[in-house]
């Protein structure tokens, strides 16, 4: 069986590593992939967003299955095009990917089906948006670009002046391009955040182990928003009671709503939740595995990922076992100095042998932004590596991940030193 994974970051590496363990022994390919992924899969330099070239490559190689892991090719309909070419793929079609690709679509879906989320209004006119924000007069206020914006299209504005600047940036200056043609203005919620990824086959939803992301660049949740500087799983705030509430009020209703709207969701549906004083609410949906959530969730998956993925495509998830091991996982991201703003690339990475750390049991190094240059690994992106460790407990997993991360070096390397600190504090209160 030949399988293509579309994407080239740490999440895709985590997916490939999980597929590599499959008893079905697939031959693994990745496009575009990266330097470190090259040790685990055949990489082909096709941009993930080039749907036509990707489908042509998939036909040429005769792949039996594809995994489209990244949001933009999903929104562009890569799964639809692969299906037309006779290649089944993991991930939603373009219609279902709107649950992430359009905030207006997802907010309207939640309103229509009574799924708990922040109160909101949508606007396609900057003056009208500002008029509403002024009349409402409550701060902070949250402004979201409608479309995909590399995770940067959400602004939390503390006062009218910030809101004005935000609306201008998104709607008039078009900082996120056409993604800012419409905005959602919503209520500011408070509470611990939880990421829950789930497998969906259009009818059945099976949540995976919960996780916690650390989105800000610096310790203490200071600094700019990033794609994610580290993760832990499970998330201690996500107790069995909370999970039961989420299943009944959010997960099942969302999957049923998508089916009722004529766009059943197949693939990985990511619920970004906030546990507010008024119960769990949806902050956002993503139509794919989180990055770096996949790097802590998939190492805890005991069942065969390939079998489960195929069950989402075939609609047989209700008959498929999805089991996670007990214990915990932690991922610490090593980033280039200056990320998420300006940073240099091409720095040699020291400490790895064939992309991995020797003599580091329970540790996997997932490559996010690396390249192979003259046989040496060099940095090639903002987030460079995700160092994941598993353990029987969260403290064990964190100790192993940090010990491993400190053995890897490149010029300017930056990591947060407090990944998991809040989770540990929550654990000690339980
Ligand atoms: P997103 O890009 O949708 O994941 O949003 C980025 C971050 O903004 C989230 O992880 C939250 O921390 C924060 N956020 C988004 N919406 C709200 C909201 N309504 N209230 C408070 N924080 C929010
Ligand atoms: N880590 C957040 C995301 O993948 O969207």
């Amino acid at each position: 069986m030949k399988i293509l994974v579309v994407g080239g970051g740490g999440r895709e590496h985590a997916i490939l590593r999980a597929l590599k363990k499959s008893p079905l022994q697939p031959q693994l390919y990745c496009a575009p992939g990266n330097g470190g992924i090259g040790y685990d899969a055949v990489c082909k330099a096709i941009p993930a967003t080039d749907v036509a070239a990707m489908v042509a490559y998939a036909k040429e190689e005769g792949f039996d299955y594809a995994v489209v892991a990244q949001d933009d090719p999903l929104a562009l309909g890569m799964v639809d095009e692969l299906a037309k070419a006779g290649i089944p793929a993991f991930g939603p079609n373009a219609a279902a990917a709107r649950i992430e690709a359009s905030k207006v679509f997802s907010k309207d879906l939640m309103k229509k089906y009574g799924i708990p989320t922040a109160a909101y209004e949508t606007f396609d006119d900057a003056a009208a948006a500002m008029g509403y924000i002024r009349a409402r007069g409550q701060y902070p206020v949250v402004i979201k670009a409608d479309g995909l914006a590399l995770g940067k299209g959400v602004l939390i504005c503390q006062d009218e002046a910030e809101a004005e600047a935000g609306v201008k940036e998104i709607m008039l200056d078009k900082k996120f391009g056409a993604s800012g043609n419409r905005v959602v203005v919503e209520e500011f919620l408070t509470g611990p955040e939880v990421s829950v990824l789930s497998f969906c086959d259009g009818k059945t939803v099976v949540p995976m182990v919960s996780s916690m992301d650390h989105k800000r660049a610096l310790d203490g949740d200071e600094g700019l928003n990033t794609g994610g500087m580290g993760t832990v799983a499970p998330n201690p705030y996500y107790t069995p009671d909370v999970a039961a509430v989420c299943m009944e009020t959010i997960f099942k209703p969302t999957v049923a709503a998508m089916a009722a709207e004529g766009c059943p969701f197949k693939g990985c549906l990511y619920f970004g939740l906030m546990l507010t004083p008024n119960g769990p609410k949806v902050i956002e949906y993503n139509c794919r595995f989180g990055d770096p959530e996949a790097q802590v969730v998939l190492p805890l998956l005991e069942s065969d990922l390939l079998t489960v993925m195929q069950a989402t495509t075939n609609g047989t998830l209700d008959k498929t076992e999805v089991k996670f091991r007990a214990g915990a996982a932690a991922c610490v991201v090593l980033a280039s100095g200056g990320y998420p703003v300006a940073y240099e690339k091409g720095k040699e990475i020291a400490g790895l042998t064939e992309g991995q750390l020797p003599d580091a049991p329970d540790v996997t190094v997932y490559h996010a932004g690396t390249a192979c240059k003259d046989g040496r690994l060099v940095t090639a992106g903002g987030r460079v590596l995700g160092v994941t460790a598993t353990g029987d407990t969260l403290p064990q997993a964190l100790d192993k991940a940090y010990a491993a991360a400190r053995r890897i070096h490149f010029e300017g390397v930056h990591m947060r030193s407090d990944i998991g600190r809040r989770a540990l504090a929550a654990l000690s209160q339980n």
Side-chain angles (χ1 to χ4, degrees):
M1 209 178 163
K2 280 174 76 172
I3 300 187
L4 172 67
V5 174
V6 175
R11 163 186 53 207
E12 288 73 20
H13 199 189
I15 291 169
L16 284 158
R17 280 262 161 170
L19 292 173
K20 203 174 171 180
K21 290 191 303 193
S22 171
L24 302 171
Q25 298 187 313
Q27 285 174 265
L28 299 174
Y29 293 72
C30 188
N34 65 41
I37 289 177
Y39 294 107
D40 292 307
V42 178
C43 292
K44 175 83 177 174
I46 300 171
T49 48
D50 192 337
V51 177
M54 198 67 75
V55 175
Y57 171 61
K59 281 206 273 200
E60 191 182 297
E61 283 287 345
F63 291 114
D64 300 292
Y65 193 61
V67 177
V68 183
Q70 204 173 298
D71 50 7
D72 30 13
L74 289 166
L76 290 168
M78 191 178 282
V79 168
D80 313 58
E81 294 306 315
L82 286 166
K84 280 185 209 156
I87 300 165
F90 179 83
N93 59 19
R98 284 180 300 168
I99 199 164
E100 172 171 2
S102 169
K103 300 247 186 235
V104 174
F105 173 84
S106 68
K107 293 296 290 191
D108 289 349
L109 184 87
M110 289 186 270
K111 187 187 266 180
K112 182 169 173 187
Y113 292 90
I115 297 163
T117 188
Y120 74 101
E121 294 291 335
T122 63
F123 300 92
D124 56 14
D125 176 82
M130 252 343 278
Y132 169 77
I133 291 169
R134 267 192 217 102
R136 187 172 171 272
Q138 283 174 41
Y139 300 94
V141 64
V142 183
I143 305 175
K144 300 184 170 182
D146 175 44
L148 297 177
L150 297 168
K152 300 192 177 87
V154 174
L155 301 178
I156 296 175
C157 304
Q158 302 297 335
D159 53 39
E160 191 175 311
E162 272 186 39
E164 207 146 328
V167 168
K168 178 169 177 292
E169 200 173 281
I170 296 177
M171 301 193 81
L172 302 178
D173 304 345
K174 297 273 189 247
K175 187 169 174 199
F176 309 109
S179 288
N181 289 348
R182 291 193 291 179
V183 291
V184 171
V185 176
E186 72 176 30
E187 168 198 14
F188 178 76
L189 300 175
T190 56
E193 288 187 51
V194 181
S195 304
V196 180
L197 317 185
S198 69
F199 291 108
C200 298
D201 69 355
K203 314 178 292 275
T204 301
V205 52
V206 180
M208 302 180 218
V209 64
S210 62
S211 54
M212 183 190 287
D213 194 7
H214 299 68
K215 284 202 168 103
R216 302 292 203 93
L218 307 175
D219 283 5
D221 291 329
E222 302 280 342
L224 294 171
N225 253 325
T226 71
M229 292 298 295
T231 35
V232 297
N235 183 324
Y237 289 103
Y238 192 71
T239 60
D241 286 349
V242 173
V245 170
C246 291
M247 190 67 180
E248 295 310 317
T249 64
I250 296 174
F251 305 160
K252 285 183 188 168
T254 300
V255 170
M258 291 296 280
E261 290 296 304
C263 48
F265 190 96
K266 296 182 170 198
C268 174
L269 183 53
Y270 167 136
F271 299 91
L273 307 171
M274 197 171 266
L275 309 182
T276 78
N278 300 317
K281 296 193 179 185
V282 177
I283 288 282
E284 61 161 349
Y285 294 112
N286 291 322
C287 67
R288 46 161 180 91
F289 286 96
D291 186 342
E293 284 88 343
Q295 290 90 313
V296 286
V297 169
L298 292 177
L300 296 174
L301 178 66
E302 235 167 40
S303 308
D304 173 35
L305 178 63
L306 181 51
T307 304
V308 178
M309 283 182 155
Q310 288 182 308
T312 69
T313 311
N314 301 333
T316 52
L317 202 50
D318 59 337
K319 299 180 196 75
T320 306
E321 186 183 61
V322 185
K323 223 176 128 190
F324 286 83
R325 55 164 278 197
C331 174
V332 176
V333 169
L334 303 190
S336 297
Y339 173 76
V341 191
Y343 53 84
E344 290 176 24
K345 300 182 191 177
K347 308 291 181 194
E348 184 162 357
I349 301 170
L352 301 178
T353 306
E354 300 206 327
Q356 295 298 316
L357 261 181
D359 307 316
D362 307 324
V363 171
T364 308
V365 179
Y366 295 115
H367 289 245
T370 67
C372 228
K373 211 172 108 192
D374 310 323
R376 294 172 307 138
L377 273 175
V378 297
T379 66
R383 292 190 292 178
V384 177
L385 301 166
V387 181
T388 292
T390 54
D392 292 335
T393 64
L394 181 59
Q396 284 174 16
L398 281 165
D399 283 349
K400 279 191 263 186
Y402 269 111
R406 285 189 210 101
R407 291 172 53 197
I408 304 170
H409 189 76
F410 51 87
E411 193 189 313
V413 59
H414 165 67
M415 69 174 115
R416 274 182 63 163
S417 67
D418 66 344
I419 300 303
R421 188 169 295 167
R422 185 168 295 176
L424 290 175
L427 272 179
S428 67
Q429 279 164 19
N430 281 355

